[in-house]
Amino acid sequence: MEYKSSKSKDRQSFNDGPKGKHKPKERKQVQVNVGVMVPHGTDLKPLRGKTLLLFTDPDVAAPDLLKQAVEKIGTFIMDMPEGPYVLLYHDCSEVVYVPGSERPFKLSEYKKEVGKPYARITFFICLEKHYKRVDDTSDSDSEIVITTRSTAKFNQADTLRKLVPVVPAVAVEGFHASASVPKKNTTNNADCIVGSDEELDFCDQDSVASSVDSSAEDMFIDDMDPILDRPSSDLYLPEEDYDSKDALQHRKRLCLSSAEGGDRKSENGFYWTETEKWQSSDEADVEPPLLVFTPNQNPGPQILPNRCSSALQFFQLLFPKSMFQTIAGYTNSYAAKYEERKGKLWNFISQSDMKSYVALVIYMGMFRCSSLSDYWSESQHFSLSFPAKIMSYRKFLSISIVLHLSESREDEKNILKKGTAGYERLGKIQPLYQVIRESCKSYFHPFQNITIVERMVKPQAGTGLKQSLKSRSPNMGFKLFALTDCTCGYTWDFFVYEGKSCASRSEGLSYETVMALVDENMLGSGYKLFVDKFYTSPTLFTDLLDKKVLACGPVWPNRTGYPKSVKNKLLSNAPRGTMRWIRQDKLLFVEWKDSREVQMCSSFHKAYEGDTVQRKVRQDAHRTLEEIPVPAVVLDYSKNMEAVDSSDCVTEHFRAIHKPKKWYQCMFYHFLDIAVENAFIMQELVTKENGKKPLTRKAFLQALILELTDIDSLDSAAVPLSLSSSG
């Protein structure tokens, strides 16, 4: 009886009142992340390694969440300074309202607004005096770091942590951050000529990139410019697309609107009124006057027709023969210095050795093995004979490790200047960097249609040079911006992004990048520039018109200068093919509904010229192909950007199996990619001009490898291209 009575009481403890009426279930707690913001110059930055999990109620308000976050972090950080503290979003704004509204903050509403799961939401606490000091003194955005973006296309690659500069330990009023310690090299390379971490320099402290998390970095990943983008709360995607990838990215851009109703004037001087009306495709548009295309030189290769008759000769236009000797000298000097410390002698390499080394790197891109040593396998049935004929495995591996592009004594002098205006961040690649840039511009002049592309240089390369940056590991690697010809894909000019210290704070990185690459004094006038939405802005396009350069591209609808009028604006539920346009001065803005809304800006297109495209449209239970209207700017942009498809990198496979650890070596292999690809393009164009059949890419690479490995005979008598065209 006692047992039955005990069980009865237990059952009753789960009931409230009559049998079957249970107590209401307790509200389930959710998991968020909390971290610490500390001063960094005139900005705030997250303190790395101090992010903790916090379980809280989904309807918690900002004051309660702040209290819980301070208590949580206080239990894990000793000597935590006394408050008061403020609660911040990742963009360093204080948590008071739900972004994009004036509703008081509630965690569940914020989660719905940003479209993230609770586990991916992070808040930060910051001492109030630090927050107020930064808020009062800083008039610029936080640091822009080397990172990845979502819409450009680059090579798939793994995270390269060893390229990130070592950050010294710092302490900020009780918050302590420890420096990253480079791991020792554990690979079994008994034949390698260098052995210590110091000698290998695997974690190069002169790296260009930084991996510090910041709000500017988050914006850069999501295809935004921290200076030009001014998000507004009235920009929402259709409800049916709420959970899509684009919707998640879109909602991250929402914040408090800077203006409510009435006339609006953007910071760059563009003036919009709420009474301006978006026009439909039925309403006529005036075609803007086009600039006459007057290039400073005839577009195409700038070489004499009979000057180059072999693959090697085209290649040495861009990668001069003297550069092989220079790199061999720098490598010998660098290697001998460290061999001397171990009491050993370095076997000096020659210009011919460097050419053979480059030839083998290209060869490995054509014939792929699972490891570097497999190329020198002595298997009776599965060996490759070519590499062993050219160079021993030990010698090839030694060159790979100590490959150097600058004078060691100059590097030491440059390091002493670190922290001063005289410090050259790209000093270790400067000699080859400048030669390749000047050569690419000297021997080719772009055709009328050009574009800006981005490339992330990483040693562990993947499936190609151009893939979604979002799909790759963020924050790692070295970003290059390149001006490319849309007609043939030739890289005419490029530069390595050096980070915050060299970036403009007035116009934004995207603006400065385009202005640096589009040199009208060298190009001429009447060029048409096609860019993606990271670069597109009314300010940029207006200034390009002053340089007599036309431009078009997709644009974020919340970018500074974009029309704010909602009168006759494109509806989210509009059928496919619906378009709206509005013209302001010399710029055309178009909104078009495809599978989603597309916003475009152009300085040389007419709104609609009667073009159509085929799309599958659902009717009842079936999908049928239908012709739907398409704006001319969308059609022209798609055609030219699809033509810019970066070819396979010749060094891609070698970097994947060798994994170079030094940042300047990674840049060397990318410069080699540019030189080889540009040489192939010039060979193709020149041969066609001469009325002959050009080499295929495979035949061109094969010819180049053979010529690089047999320099003496080929220098006296180059193999004519026409003899190898059948390969």
Side-chain angles (χ1 to χ4, degrees):
M1 294 295 295
E2 292 180 0
Y3 173 76
K4 290 184 178 181
S5 176
S6 175
K7 294 297 292 182
S8 178
K9 289 180 180 180
D10 290 341
R11 285 193 296 269
Q12 288 296 326
S13 66
F14 291 99
N15 298 335
D16 183 19
K19 185 177 180 180
K21 295 183 179 179
H22 298 284
K23 294 179 181 179
K25 293 183 180 180
E26 293 184 2
R27 191 174 183 86
K28 185 178 180 180
Q29 290 194 323
V30 296
Q31 169 191 314
V32 296
N33 304 289
V34 291
V36 179
M37 285 277 190
V38 295
H40 181 64
T42 59
D43 300 325
L44 293 173
K45 76 168 185 179
L47 191 60
R48 303 185 66 183
K50 303 299 180 183
T51 302
L52 304 172
L53 300 179
L54 175 65
F55 291 90
T56 186
D57 188 271
D59 289 331
V60 66
D64 296 331
L65 183 58
L66 172 62
K67 182 179 178 181
Q68 295 173 20
V70 173
E71 291 176 354
K72 179 71 173 181
I73 294 176
T75 59
F76 286 87
I77 298 181
M78 299 179 61
D79 303 326
M80 182 173 172
E82 295 292 332
Y85 288 87
V86 292
L87 188 67
L88 304 179
Y89 291 115
H90 70 280
D91 62 353
C92 299
S93 60
E94 188 174 0
V95 179
V96 179
Y97 301 105
V98 175
S101 72
E102 295 185 358
R103 304 190 307 274
F105 173 86
K106 185 183 290 186
L107 181 56
S108 58
E109 293 188 13
Y110 175 71
K111 183 255 185 186
K112 182 179 179 181
E113 192 71 31
V114 298
K116 289 183 178 180
Y118 286 109
R120 292 184 58 195
I121 295 176
T122 304
F123 299 96
F124 298 91
I125 64 169
C126 177
L127 284 169
E128 187 176 29
K129 58 183 179 181
H130 292 163
Y131 175 72
K132 289 184 177 180
R133 184 182 69 187
V134 172
D135 192 44
D136 292 339
T137 60
S138 178
D139 58 351
S140 61
D141 297 307
S142 54
E143 180 175 359
I144 300 174
V145 298
I146 302 296
T147 183
T148 57
R149 290 200 305 111
S150 59
T151 57
K153 296 183 178 179
F154 293 87
N155 58 310
Q156 181 76 16
D158 300 328
T159 301
L160 176 63
R161 296 189 179 278
K162 293 181 182 178
L163 281 178
V164 181
V166 179
V167 183
V170 296
V172 184
E173 291 197 33
F175 297 116
H176 304 280
S178 59
S180 303
V181 180
K183 297 181 179 179
K184 286 184 178 292
N185 179 30
T186 58
T187 56
N188 185 18
N189 292 333
D191 295 331
C192 295
I193 53 131
V194 287
S196 67
D197 290 341
E198 179 184 4
E199 294 165 0
L200 287 174
D201 195 22
F202 276 0
C203 206
D204 199 298
Q205 297 191 24
D206 297 325
S207 295
V208 189
S210 170
S211 66
V212 179
D213 297 327
S214 66
S215 59
E217 174 184 327
D218 289 338
M219 296 183 74
F220 201 25
I221 291 175
D222 289 308
D223 202 12
M224 294 178 277
D225 190 305
I227 295 178
L228 294 178
D229 285 320
R230 296 293 183 265
S232 173
S233 61
D234 59 352
L235 302 170
Y236 293 96
L237 290 174
E239 184 176 354
E240 61 270 16
D241 296 333
Y242 188 83
D243 294 326
S244 67
K245 183 177 180 180
D246 292 324
L248 296 179
Q249 184 189 66
H250 177 84
R251 289 196 294 276
K252 289 177 68 176
R253 302 166 58 85
L254 299 178
C255 68
L256 292 176
S257 178
S258 59
E260 295 294 337
D263 294 348
R264 302 185 184 184
K265 186 177 183 180
S266 65
E267 296 178 7
N268 61 1
F270 288 90
Y271 190 82
W272 301 100
T273 64
E274 296 295 342
T275 57
E276 290 189 8
K277 177 185 175 183
W278 287 87
Q279 311 293 321
S280 65
S281 58
D282 298 332
E283 298 174 86
D285 180 28
V286 178
E287 185 170 2
L290 293 180
L291 297 174
V292 178
F293 179 50
T294 54
N296 287 344
Q297 302 181 59
N298 292 329
Q302 304 298 307
I303 56 177
L304 296 175
N306 298 324
R307 176 176 178 179
C308 297
S309 59
S310 70
L312 179 61
Q313 289 173 342
F314 278 105
F315 175 72
Q316 288 183 338
L317 291 176
L318 307 170
F319 202 107
K321 188 176 181 179
S322 60
M323 205 67 224
F324 286 102
Q325 184 63 49
T326 302
I327 296 175
Y330 291 152
T331 301
N332 285 329
S333 175
Y334 177 76
K337 176 182 176 182
Y338 289 107
E339 283 294 278
E340 185 180 356
R341 291 184 179 181
K342 299 186 297 181
K344 297 181 181 180
L345 293 177
W346 164 251
N347 293 323
F348 281 68
I349 61 174
S350 64
Q351 177 185 10
S352 178
D353 291 331
M354 276 307 306
K355 289 186 176 182
S356 297
Y357 175 81
V358 169
L360 287 178
V361 171
I362 299 173
Y363 175 86
M364 291 174 187
M366 299 185 64
F367 303 94
R368 304 192 173 196
C369 294
S370 58
S371 68
L372 199 60
S373 60
D374 287 345
Y375 288 98
W376 284 267
S377 172
E378 296 180 357
S379 171
Q380 180 179 358
H381 303 290
F382 304 105
S383 61
L384 296 173
S385 61
F386 183 77
K389 291 180 181 179
I390 304 304
M391 185 180 292
S392 69
Y393 172 65
R394 180 176 179 176
K395 187 173 186 178
F396 181 87
L397 188 61
S398 297
I399 296 175
S400 300
I401 293 172
V402 298
L403 181 66
H404 213 69
L405 308 179
S406 59
E407 178 59 53
S408 299
R409 287 173 295 182
E410 294 298 323
D411 292 342
E412 293 171 358
K413 293 178 182 179
N414 190 40
I415 291 175
L416 296 177
K417 300 177 183 178
K418 199 167 186 177
T420 68
Y423 177 66
E424 178 56 65
R425 304 188 75 181
L426 302 178
K428 289 190 175 182
I429 63 170
Q430 201 63 244
L432 180 60
Y433 178 40
Q434 293 301 330
V435 168
I436 296 292
R437 286 190 67 184
E438 291 303 320
S439 299
C440 288
K441 290 190 287 186
S442 299
Y443 293 106
F444 185 87
H445 199 78
F447 295 93
Q448 184 173 19
N449 295 345
I450 55 178
T451 185
I452 306 291
V453 298
E454 301 161 33
R455 296 167 181 170
M456 185 66 75
V457 179
K458 303 173 76 170
Q460 298 164 343
T463 57
L465 196 65
K466 198 176 180 189
Q467 271 204 356
S468 174
L469 279 168
K470 194 76 168 186
S471 65
R472 303 177 317 139
S473 305
N475 315 330
M476 305 295 173
F478 309 98
K479 180 177 286 295
L480 285 87
F481 296 94
L483 189 147
T484 306
D485 187 281
C486 290
T487 305
C488 60
Y490 185 95
T491 300
W492 186 72
D493 192 14
F494 62 92
F495 70 87
V496 181
Y497 174 54
E498 298 183 45
K500 173 184 175 181
S501 63
C502 300
S504 170
R505 289 306 187 102
S506 59
E507 300 293 349
L509 173 62
S510 58
Y511 179 96
E512 296 296 333
T513 297
V514 175
M515 287 300 185
L517 291 173
V518 180
D519 185 355
E520 73 279 10
N521 295 323
M522 290 190 67
L523 288 171
S525 62
Y527 275 88
K528 295 180 179 179
L529 177 67
F530 297 85
V531 293
D532 66 26
K533 61 176 62 178
F534 173 67
Y535 306 96
T536 304
S537 71
T539 304
L540 173 65
F541 284 12
T542 301
D543 290 350
L544 285 174
L545 276 177
D546 294 337
K547 299 173 72 171
K548 296 184 178 180
V549 175
L550 306 170
C552 83
V555 59
W556 284 115
N558 55 351
R559 178 144 291 189
T560 301
Y562 190 83
K564 304 301 180 183
S565 175
V566 296
K567 190 173 182 180
N568 197 33
K569 189 177 176 66
L570 185 67
L571 300 178
S572 60
N573 60 350
R576 268 191 167 187
T578 306
M579 72 177 71
R580 296 289 185 268
W581 63 271
I582 194 170
R583 187 173 288 280
Q584 173 68 17
D585 295 333
K586 299 178 181 179
L587 298 184
L588 170 72
F589 296 88
V590 176
E591 292 187 346
W592 179 60
K593 184 64 179 293
D594 195 11
S595 57
R596 58 184 180 86
E597 291 184 23
V598 178
Q599 294 85 19
M600 302 290 292
C601 179
S602 174
S603 60
F604 63 94
H605 285 97
K606 189 178 178 181
Y608 182 58
E609 297 183 1
D611 298 306
T612 60
V613 291
Q614 286 189 340
R615 291 291 186 269
K616 288 185 177 181
V617 179
R618 183 180 294 277
Q619 292 183 352
D620 299 329
H622 304 284
R623 288 180 176 271
T624 58
L625 280 176
E626 288 189 4
E627 297 283 342
I628 64 170
V630 58
V633 60
V634 174
L635 210 58
D636 198 18
Y637 177 82
S638 300
K639 177 183 176 181
N640 283 279
M641 294 303 286
E642 286 175 1
V644 183
D645 183 16
S646 297
S647 301
D648 295 334
C649 309
V650 294
T651 68
E652 173 189 352
H653 184 64
F654 170 73
R655 286 182 286 139
I657 59 177
H658 172 60
K659 299 179 177 63
K661 305 302 188 296
K662 300 175 184 178
W663 71 269
Y664 51 86
Q665 291 179 351
C666 303
M667 300 305 301
F668 168 78
Y669 297 122
H670 187 70
F671 295 158
L672 183 58
D673 283 332
I674 292 175
V676 170
E677 190 60 33
N678 282 354
F680 168 69
I681 292 171
M682 285 201 296
Q683 172 271 147
E684 199 172 32
L685 295 175
V686 169
T687 309
K688 286 181 179 179
E689 286 180 2
N690 294 336
K692 300 178 181 179
K693 183 180 178 181
L695 292 177
T696 63
R697 192 171 189 276
K698 179 181 178 181
F700 178 84
L701 294 178
Q702 289 175 343
L704 179 59
I705 292 170
L706 292 176
E707 295 175 61
L708 282 170
T709 54
D710 192 16
I711 299 300
D712 293 336
S713 61
L714 289 167
D715 280 351
S716 58
V719 178
L721 288 171
S722 58
L723 297 180
S724 305
S725 60
S726 60

